[in-house]
Amino acid sequence: QVQVVESGGGLVQPGGSLRLSCAASGRFTTIYTMGWYRQASGKERELVAIINSAGIANYADSVKGRFTIFRDNAKNTVSLQMNSLKPEDTAVYYCLVDAFYIGSNNYWGQGTQVTVSS
């Protein structure tokens, strides 16, 4: 089993910054993709950013140029630096870890609330 724990959410004013962190632990031999998704109230969960083990990242168009995803393979962590935050970034942010043990499986964190409001 793999545990995924997020931290770093909170309330921030428009134009502000937040950094989310996620750590994976448990039984696995390797981690492929790590990433962040978000789900706003009344909407479907959507991709924010993902990064593979080689460090290649992809971003949703809505966050390009504002958000940066970082990964530390040695520590099995992924972070999301969010700058120039907008009210429409308000959502619960979930960390996704694609880890391999006997097979490849996706594991989700419990979610962390990000609220952008004045």
Side-chain angles (χ1 to χ4, degrees):
Q1 191 59 274
V2 177
Q3 292 77 47
V4 179
V5 179
E6 304 121 333
S7 61
L11 172 64
V12 64
Q13 293 186 341
S17 298
L18 277 177
R19 188 178 180 103
L20 306 181
S21 296
C22 171
S25 61
R27 181 174 290 183
F28 53 86
T29 55
T30 192
I31 294 177
Y32 297 124
T33 300
M34 304 182 82
W36 292 92
Y37 285 69
R38 66 186 181 188
Q39 187 167 17
S41 180
K43 296 187 177 181
E44 294 186 353
R45 191 172 298 189
E46 63 176 4
L47 170 70
V48 177
I50 55 173
I51 186 168
N52 66 14
S53 57
I56 297 172
N58 284 289
Y59 297 89
D61 287 343
S62 59
V63 307
K64 283 181 180 177
R66 300 188 298 121
F67 291 11
T68 305
I69 189 169
F70 300 92
R71 175 171 175 166
D72 186 330
N73 290 331
K75 297 181 179 179
N76 298 317
T77 61
V78 63
S79 300
L80 185 69
Q81 178 65 42
M82 305 184 293
N83 298 329
S84 303
L85 283 160
K86 304 175 181 180
E88 50 264 43
D89 294 318
T90 295
V92 178
Y93 284 69
Y94 296 91
C95 179
L96 172 69
V97 174
D98 177 10
F100 181 89
Y101 180 52
I102 296 175
S104 178
N105 287 290
N106 288 333
Y107 299 90
W108 293 92
Q110 78 285 357
T112 185
Q113 178 70 46
V114 172
T115 303
V116 184
S117 176
S118 55

